[in-house]
Amino acid sequence: MREQTQTWKIGEVAQRTGFTVRTLHHYEQIGLLRPSGRTESNHRLYTRQDIERLQHIASLRALGLSLDAIGQALDQRGALLETLERQLTALQQRREEIAALEAHLSGVIGLLREGQPASTSQLFDLMEQMTMFEKHYTKDQLDQLAKRREELGEDTIKAVEQEWPALMAAVKAAMDAGTDPADPEVQRMAARWKELIAAFTGGDAGIRRSLDTMYEQEPQARAHSGYDPQVAAYIQRAWEAAESA
Amino acid sequence: MREQTQTWKIGEVAQRTGFTVRTLHHYEQIGLLRPSGRTESNHRLYTRQDIERLQHIASLRALGLSLDAIGQALDQRGALLETLERQLTALQQRREEIAALEAHLSGVIGLLREGQPASTSQLFDLMEQMTMFEKHYTKDQLDQLAKRREELGEDTIKAVEQEWPALMAAVKAAMDAGTDPADPEVQRMAARWKELIAAFTGGDAGIRRSLDTMYEQEPQARAHSGYDPQVAAYIQRAWEAAESA
DNA sequence: TTGCTCCTCACGTCACGTGAGGTGGC
DNA sequence: TTGCTCCTCACGTCACGTGAGGTGGC
């Protein structure tokens, strides 16, 4: 009538379950799985129940749960479903983050491969711009911008990028000379300024707003483009003069 | 003619770049970014070049690179493209792993919600089975099995699952009684056995092979289904007798 | 006596967060 | 003198891997 309870030493348990001895030590240390007994010489003894618990741990670990979450799920029956749902949400979120990183990374790799930027620092300039863009524009807006660049063609884009600094310098010169914003030459430059922005935004008001916020919030963006708030205010006045005319 | 080099203290750098002071300490400690100077009172002084390097670090960190990889990429120009490509591959792999986890987890949550398994230990049995299945069957095979279950309908599946243990017990009894495998009654049971397997596999040879390997390699699977190698060998002989007849 | 298994520390990993305890400039 | 910034340790995080040094059973 003796209840003979079979037990296993740690090495046997390790071999049968695929856990390492160290891992079993660890699980005992954090209180996740305490072997039911010890031999006289202090060797751990695991019962069938212990091994069952270990298998449950393995199942939950296979779902990516943390040891902490596993402990809670096993000790408070009923919390299981909720724990798993939280885990699913966390995984989905993590996967979306990774997908976004991948998109960003692919973009940078594309720049590096095709554009062959002249210098490393130029590459980093480009990367910073990309990061800023991805921060201030929605995904739809970025798609629109990409389509627009394609429509315009590389040559047009390069031409515009070269024209910008020249135009800003000319406007700044007129401003510094105290020229009236209503002056015909300034009006011509203001109109051209408007055209260049429209070429970039494609006339989309949302993209225009995102562009403005980016320049407001990112000193980097201002520094990079040579944007000057005083010049911007001056152009603003020129536009207003044109409207009231 | 004095070259006046502007410098910033750690708090200023932190504020402008969005890193924390502790992080800058850390970057110095691991040699990723060493400020170019110190004041008399030992306060760190960062130059414009230091801050540029910090911005490059930020760009690369935004791509998910480890600090170690960032250090290498920045110190050995040319290694950059390769580093980024490795990172992209790693991210893709990680994303696929997460997707697989999600699929597994969704399955388990589905079981928990719909099936409402009677006890926790029953749920874990189911989970272990799922894990084993996902290990031994290809994705295509799992899809096929799912489709097949749908075709058969819940009632048929339950009926079959109930019939199994009874059939195995009957065969075992015949075997224990020393009945000849060619005996008509044993032949009837062997034929039924074949039908039940076919109902599960849908006659697919690949699925049949996966099922066999699973029973060979997973003591868990054998224990769970009550599978007995001696009974299996007996059935084998019955099938051979049927063929040679 | 020789292997093999078991034991208990305890450091290292990754990228910092969070104090603790103290000093220097306005 | 009071704040504020700066400094240098140093522990904690997560799930163990990897020794180090030593003991017990066949």
Side-chain angles (χ1 to χ4, degrees), chain A residues 215-239:
Chain A
Y215 274 95
E216 259 171 49
Q217 295 177 8
E218 303 283 350
Q220 295 287 319
R222 288 199 293 275
H224 186 264
S225 68
Y227 173 98
D228 178 335
Q230 291 193 352
V231 173
Y234 182 71
I235 279 290
Q236 189 66 40
R237 270 180 286 143
W239 288 337

Side-chain angles (χ1 to χ4, degrees), chain A residues 34-66:
Chain A
R34 272 185 265 268
S36 297
R38 294 267 183 159
T39 67
E40 288 175 14
S41 52
N42 207 26
H43 291 188
R44 290 167 179 79
L45 288 178
Y46 292 83
T47 64
R48 210 165 49 71
Q49 281 86 350
D50 294 337
I51 290 178
E52 248 169 53
R53 183 172 169 98
L54 186 54
Q55 268 150 2
H56 294 177
I57 292 172
S59 296
L60 294 176
R61 211 181 50 157
L63 296 171
L65 290 189
S66 70

Side-chain angles (χ1 to χ4, degrees), chain B residues 28-147:
Chain B
E28 177 171 11
Q29 203 176 343
I30 63 173
L32 183 58
L33 174 63
R34 272 185 265 269
S36 297
R38 294 266 183 160
T39 67
E40 288 175 15
S41 51
N42 206 26
H43 292 189
R44 291 168 178 81
L45 289 178
Y46 292 83
T47 63
R48 209 163 50 71
Q49 279 86 351
D50 294 338
I51 291 179
E52 247 168 54
R53 182 173 170 97
L54 186 55
Q55 269 151 1
H56 294 178
I57 292 172
S59 295
L60 293 176
R61 209 181 52 157
L63 296 171
L65 292 188
S66 71
L67 297 186
D68 194 72
I70 292 176
Q72 285 178 20
L74 289 182
D75 292 337
Q76 319 157 30
R77 141 183 201 53
L80 188 55
L81 180 57
E82 213 186 323
T83 305
L84 297 186
E85 280 169 346
R86 256 204 310 279
Q87 169 70 359
L88 183 57
T89 311
L91 285 180
Q92 284 164 343
Q93 216 172 325
R94 181 73 189 125
R95 183 163 48 82
E96 278 161 28
E97 283 168 19
I98 291 183
L101 268 185
E102 274 179 51
H104 186 40
L105 191 49
S106 300
V108 173
I109 289 177
L111 279 179
L112 247 176
R113 277 222 199 94
E114 289 165 37
Q116 290 296 1
S119 67
T120 309
S121 73
Q122 224 176 76
L123 168 69
F124 278 104
D125 279 357
L126 285 172
M127 280 174 53
E128 270 164 36
Q129 270 183 272
M130 282 189 61
T131 310
M132 265 186 319
F133 266 66
E134 287 171 3
K135 186 167 143 199
H136 288 282
Y137 295 90
T138 67
K139 198 168 176 330
D140 280 354
Q141 289 179 341
L142 287 171
D143 288 347
Q144 265 187 67
L145 286 173
K147 229 175 75 187

Side-chain angles (χ1 to χ4, degrees), chain A:
Chain A
M1 249 344 251
R2 215 172 132 235
E3 205 175 302
Q4 82 164 61
T5 322
Q6 199 183 350
T7 57
W8 294 264
K9 297 218 277 179
I10 197 166
E12 297 165 328
V13 174
Q15 202 153 24
R16 287 175 200 211
T17 59
F19 287 90
T20 69
V21 170
R22 174 63 177 109
T23 297
L24 294 174
H25 283 173
H26 183 57
Y27 289 176
E28 176 171 12
Q29 202 176 343
I30 63 172
L32 183 58
L33 175 63
R34 272 185 265 268
S36 297
R38 294 267 183 159
T39 67
E40 288 175 14
S41 52
N42 207 26
H43 291 188
R44 290 167 179 79
L45 288 178
Y46 292 83
T47 64
R48 210 165 49 71
Q49 281 86 350
D50 294 337
I51 290 178
E52 248 169 53
R53 183 172 169 98
L54 186 54
Q55 268 150 2
H56 294 177
I57 292 172
S59 296
L60 294 176
R61 211 181 50 157
L63 296 171
L65 290 189
S66 70
L67 296 186
D68 194 73
I70 291 176
Q72 286 179 21
L74 288 182
D75 293 335
Q76 318 157 31
R77 145 183 199 51
L80 188 56
L81 181 57
E82 213 185 324
T83 304
L84 296 186
E85 279 169 346
R86 255 204 309 281
Q87 169 71 357
L88 184 57
T89 312
L91 285 180
Q92 285 164 343
Q93 216 171 323
R94 180 73 190 124
R95 183 163 49 81
E96 278 161 27
E97 282 168 21
I98 290 183
L101 268 185
E102 273 178 52
H104 186 38
L105 192 48
S106 301
V108 173
I109 288 177
L111 280 180
L112 246 175
R113 278 223 198 93
E114 290 166 38
Q116 290 297 3
S119 68
T120 310
S121 74
Q122 223 175 76
L123 170 70
F124 278 105
D125 278 359
L126 285 172
M127 280 174 53
E128 270 165 33
Q129 271 183 270
M130 283 188 60
T131 311
M132 265 186 318
F133 267 66
E134 286 170 4
K135 186 167 144 198
H136 288 282
Y137 295 89
T138 67
K139 197 169 176 333
D140 280 355
Q141 288 179 341
L142 287 171
D143 288 348
Q144 264 187 68
L145 286 173
K147 228 175 77 186
R148 185 121 190 88
R149 284 181 77 92
E150 223 171 294
E151 282 166 18
L152 289 175
E154 282 306 309
D155 295 342
T156 315
I157 291 170
K158 273 192 186 151
V160 168
E161 278 172 358
Q162 293 204 332
E163 188 179 346
W164 257 119
L167 181 62
M168 284 198 283
V171 172
K172 186 170 183 342
M175 180 184 79
D176 289 345
T179 316
D180 186 334
D183 174 275
E185 181 57 16
V186 174
Q187 285 295 311
R188 204 192 50 73
M189 294 191 290
R192 182 60 185 156
W193 187 299
K194 215 167 204 166
E195 279 171 23
L196 291 184
I197 289 179
F200 173 77
T201 63
D204 186 297
I207 290 182
R208 177 60 204 267
R209 267 196 303 281
S210 297
L211 180 65
D212 287 345
T213 4
M214 192 174 85
Y215 274 95
E216 259 171 49
Q217 295 177 8
E218 303 283 350
Q220 295 287 319
R222 288 199 293 275
H224 186 264
S225 68
Y227 173 98
D228 178 335
Q230 291 193 352
V231 173
Y234 182 71
I235 279 290
Q236 189 66 40
R237 270 180 286 143
W239 288 337
E240 282 158 11
E243 272 175 37
S244 63

Side-chain angles (χ1 to χ4, degrees), chain B residues 158-178:
Chain B
K158 272 193 186 150
V160 168
E161 278 172 357
Q162 294 205 330
E163 189 178 345
W164 257 118
L167 181 62
M168 284 198 283
V171 173
K172 186 171 182 343
M175 180 183 80
D176 289 346

